[in-house]
Amino acid sequence: MRVLTRRFRTRLAGALRAEAPELYRQAPRAVWEKEWVVHSQCAGNGAAALGYLARYVQNTALGSKRIVAD
């Protein structure tokens, strides 16, 4: 699992540097240096996988109401 964690972190950092460098620069350097926890599990395929992922993508940690309120 450590290999997956490091690979995910490295690929995300590379993609942000290439596609959204301003967003990459906003993240503190410590974010890219500390160990991450990546949890993955099989979600099936097709409609079942889409339904599983939709539950997590739809509800973010910071909703627009919380951002506007602060």
Side-chain angles (χ1 to χ4, degrees):
M1 193 58 90
R2 278 186 132 160
V3 173
L4 175 64
T5 297
R6 290 182 180 145
R7 184 168 174 96
F8 180 79
R9 182 183 60 212
T10 301
R11 297 213 32 172
L12 179 63
L16 277 177
R17 274 194 300 263
E19 300 295 325
E22 65 286 345
L23 185 59
Y24 176 79
R25 285 191 297 272
Q26 289 178 15
R29 185 180 184 125
V31 166
W32 308 112
E33 295 172 350
K34 71 185 297 186
E35 287 294 321
W36 287 17
V37 176
V38 175
H39 176 77
S40 64
Q41 67 185 45
C42 180
N45 56 25
L50 185 60
Y52 174 82
L53 292 173
R55 288 191 296 273
Y56 293 97
V57 173
Q58 183 179 9
N59 298 320
T60 61
L62 284 174
S64 57
K65 289 181 183 178
R66 286 182 60 193
I67 293 171
V68 173
D70 291 338

